[in-house]
Amino acid sequence: MKLVDKFIRTQLELTKPIADGQPLTEARSLHDRIGRVMHHSRRRDVVIVDDYIKEPDSALIVPRDELRGGVILYLHGGGYVCGTEHAANGFGSVLSAELGMRVVPVEYRLAPENPYPAALDDALMAYRAVVADGTEPGRIVFVGDSAGGGLAYALALKLKELGEDMPAGIIAISPWVDLTLSGDSYDHNKEADPSLTRERLEYYADCYVGEEYCSPTMGAKQKGKEQPKRIRTRSELRKDPLLSPLFGDLTGLPPSLIFVGEDEILLSDALSMRDKLNECGCSVHLVSRPEMWHNYVLFCLKHFKSDYDYMNAFIRRVMPKGNERKLKWMHIDNGGKIYPASRTSTWHNVFRLSMTLNEEVDREVLQSALDVTVRRFPSIAVRLRRGVFWYYLEEIPHAPTVQDEKCYPLARMPFDDIRHCAFRVIHYKNRIACEFFHALTDGTGALVFLKTLVAEYLAEKHSIHITPGFGVLDRLEPPKEEEYIDQFPKHKGPVGKSRSDTDSYRIHGTPEDDGFCHVTCFMIKSKELLDLAHSMGVTVTTVLAAALSVAAIRLQNQDKVNKRRHKEIKILLPCDLRRIFGVDTLRNFMLYVTPGIDPRLGEYTLSEIAKIIQNKMQLEITEKNMRAMIHTNVKDEETLILKLAPLFLKNAVMKFFFLLFGEKKSTMTLSNLGVVKLPPEMTPYVKDVDFTLATQASGPYNAAVISYGDMLHMNIIRNIKEPRLEYEVYRVLRECGIHVKVESNER
Amino acid sequence: MYCVKCGVELADSERKCPLCLTPVYYPGLEEDPERPFPRTEIEVEKVSLRGINFIMTFLAAIAIIISVIADINTSMGFSWSGYVVGGVVLSYVVFVLPMWFVRRSPAVFVPVDFAVAAIYLWYISFATGGDWFWTLALPITGGLALICSSVTILIYYLRCGYLYIFGGASIALGALSLLIEWLIHVTFTLPVHHMWSPYPAITLGLIGIMLIVIAIVKPFRESLARLFAL
């Protein structure tokens, strides 16, 4: 016997006489405390969702690392008289964490206040509620320890009696299946058992059997005369199969796995149950451990870790095939295919979304919220892998660790990092930032992820309930198929559209030698910009694109190039296709338009440019035109020769075309995610939302816009030393009477 | 607070205007404001050349070992592999050896390259039984070594007077061509039919003189700069 065992045994033996004389309230509070400790030890591995079932009020324990579908209905022990919410959640958490399954710990009513059949009724109601919630009975396993083990069998018998579907299996830990205490181990293990005594079990049994049916109490007396047959003696009732399943007809019960310690007085209960199940033709496996005491499994002894292997193997055997969680994998969508190919040693297409709270962010809670959130996003919580023909995305088994902020955002993601996890979560003071490799999703999809993450964080931190909606997803619902399939091929038009386009002006400057990126945030009152846009009859995005165009025209003038050799100024504007096609995907689903301004034609005013951009956008952003553009993109991907080309060849070709044609066609990108709306429960906590793009591969600038509350934030990023564009943009805005406040990550 | 030059409103953490880079002047400047980003620098990975050097050394060693073994196996002696070894060593000294050093002074490496080339030539003349090393190969190599070394050293350390340097080098090369013809005649005792060396000598000499003239006469240099302006 190991030293730990000896120690625990001695402790149990010491408390044995005390426990016998203990009042019920103390016994209950002891159970409660043990449960709290157990849950505390596993609090990192599980999430408890309260009020999952209303009647009987039971929680749902979700493992952070959910390995398989299905639900465990856990019936706690405590002789039907002990065990409350915390006691049930305690071992429930252990089960959930060890088996990687959702657990519903049933808080059935306790005797003697609520004698038989209260506990059984509650267990039945909980079972029905789980089934009603969408879990097939074939994916439910009953787990019960001690009295809970007996209750599990009683529930199975009850289901048989009612003709309802049976669960997949029953795992019983030191089950108490014989309330008559007739087994011989009550005598020969009397001394050896370090915790239980016959007297105590007698008392529990009496409590559970109750007074009403067996003794002439007030209630029974009144009804007694009318229903004399209902009155049975205590001993008769104790033999009832729904109290002592050992005496029932066990045929047709699902497979069982029973654990028992050989030193406990309930040993014969387990042995007889095994024999009886065998007799009735049920599959049963008994694990008995020498020198172990009652409910030894609950003590989580290190050298009996294999007990959980037994449970895992049992569940794998009884559950339908394909129940085990498989890491999803998916092709990169048509819009994202260019990003892994176009990456260079110093540049990746990444973007950042961040939320600044009104309080300091708790790193531990954030990590825990991230663990929960990633499960909901199998298409975003992924890593990039190399296939023979294409890159593909694979779900990551665990959430990545929250990282520290550095002196600039969107630092290079080495390919080795992307291979392990293609997004990162960064925490700095009040801010939670997520940086995504663009192959995973676009700004709109990423915003849903960030909102959901922050909602989960706030819910965990402040124990508030945040109603899903406004882009916040329910963290515990399963991912929907629509969210992670590639939407491009579905919305392909009948014919394509030429991609040919003219080259545009490129801003240049002195590159920062160490890759430092300057981010300048322009903080503008949304109202002022909106008024300006309305006065010109255009949108806010257009006004900002026009302002950037005017600034770029001025820069080109400063470059002292012959005016006749000036190139077009083209601001690349991503447009969200979700709105056009009415789909809710979390993958990439956007295209670009690049309205151009030709400075050779003469001088332009801001409103002139704004009108040109607005008109060009209206012409191009139509459903038909977008379908044609999608056709062109999808057609390339579907060409057989291209399909069969090995990845390295594809990469070389795609990179060549990207550098030659892709980037030269635009001066810079301006991405506007619009106004961020949050559930009303979240708004008091969230101060700012920010959106930042990485620079272009060969261009030094990019700009990203997002609005929250009454403020609009435009983050302009650059990797050159001189703030050329920023200064000009500010001048343009100032000339229009727009007040700007700037903040930067100055060196 | 506001920028004193461009007038933009600045966040409290700014110490110089992010738009016009003007330092902030403000009486109530906070000592340690809350910055939007920490100062933690991101370490940029630098590719180490040492790894490449090791690989190159390894490859050179493999080439030498394999050719020597193959030579010994086939001809039971040391026949053609000597040339291979010499060639590999020469290219190693020229291309890889300087990579091992942080400061690569041409004063050291250019003469060393020529010295190794001379040794290689000596080996070839010795192995082929030719009698041309001391009278032909060594003087030509020496002359080229002198010219190349002086040009590279002068350019590397002076970083000016390129016209003088190249003019001088051009004249020296012309002179070398005369020397080469004379040495060929001496070594191989050829009958004198016609002389070729004056042509390159005169051309190179004239180019050299012209470069020096351009260098000396400033107005001429400027007019040429105007004429050939891109």
Side-chain angles (χ1 to χ4, degrees), chain B residues 26-90:
Chain B
Y26 184 68
L29 217 54
E30 273 179 68
E31 279 281 303
D32 188 23
E34 190 167 306
R35 294 165 51 84
F37 285 85
R39 290 209 177 266
T40 329
E41 294 279 332
I42 297 171
E43 282 177 28
V44 182
E45 288 169 47
K46 282 194 176 123
V47 180
S48 156
L49 282 173
R50 282 189 93 77
I52 299 169
N53 289 345
F54 271 110
I55 292 170
M56 297 302 282
T57 311
F58 183 68
L59 287 177
I62 284 182
I64 290 173
I65 291 164
I66 286 182
S67 56
V68 168
I69 290 173
D71 194 16
I72 290 171
N73 269 344
T74 49
S75 58
M76 307 305 288
F78 212 59
S79 58
W80 50 268
S81 64
Y83 307 119
V84 178
V85 173
V88 171
V89 170
L90 179 60

Side-chain angles (χ1 to χ4, degrees), chain A residues 334-384:
Chain A
N334 181 268
K337 280 212 162 76
I338 185 72
Y339 302 120
S342 64
R343 72 192 163 78
T344 67
S345 59
T346 52
W347 179 84
H348 287 105
N349 200 330
V350 277
F351 62 92
R352 160 191 283 232
L353 274 162
S354 65
M355 272 195 198
T356 311
L357 305 185
N358 283 316
E359 64 197 16
E360 184 117 352
V361 174
D362 183 332
R363 173 81 67 110
E364 272 188 26
V365 179
L366 177 60
Q367 182 69 55
S368 141
L370 181 62
D371 292 342
V372 178
T373 312
V374 291
R375 290 274 157 270
R376 182 65 187 77
F377 293 87
S379 66
I380 292 181
V382 292
R383 50 188 180 169
L384 184 74

Side-chain angles (χ1 to χ4, degrees), chain A residues 407 431 730 734 739 742 744 746, chain B residues 6 9 11 14-15 36 40:
Chain A
C407 57
R431 186 171 59 208
Y730 162 66
R734 189 182 58 187
H739 181 85
V742 291
S744 74
E746 63 175 14
Chain B
C6 67
E9 188 184 350
E14 301 299 318
R15 287 297 169 264
T40 329

Side-chain angles (χ1 to χ4, degrees), chain A residues 352 405-409 411-412 414 428-429 431 514 520 522 718 723 726-727 730 734 739-747, chain B residues 2 5-21 33-42 44-45:
Chain A
R352 160 191 283 232
E405 184 73 274
K406 300 283 165 40
C407 57
Y408 61 89
R412 192 176 88 85
Y428 176 65
K429 290 186 177 166
R431 186 171 59 208
D514 53 359
T520 312
F522 283 61
R718 74 166 197 277
E726 289 93 325
Y727 180 62
Y730 162 66
R734 189 182 58 187
H739 181 85
V740 178
K741 184 178 175 182
V742 291
E743 188 176 52
S744 74
N745 63 335
E746 63 175 14
R747 299 200 84 166
Chain B
Y2 289 84
K5 189 180 170 204
C6 67
V8 72
E9 188 184 350
L10 299 169
D12 294 340
S13 61
E14 301 299 318
R15 287 297 169 264
K16 63 177 190 240
C17 173
L19 306 183
C20 63
L21 306 180
E34 190 167 306
R35 294 165 51 84
F37 285 85
R39 290 209 177 266
T40 329
E41 294 279 332
I42 297 171
V44 182
E45 288 169 47

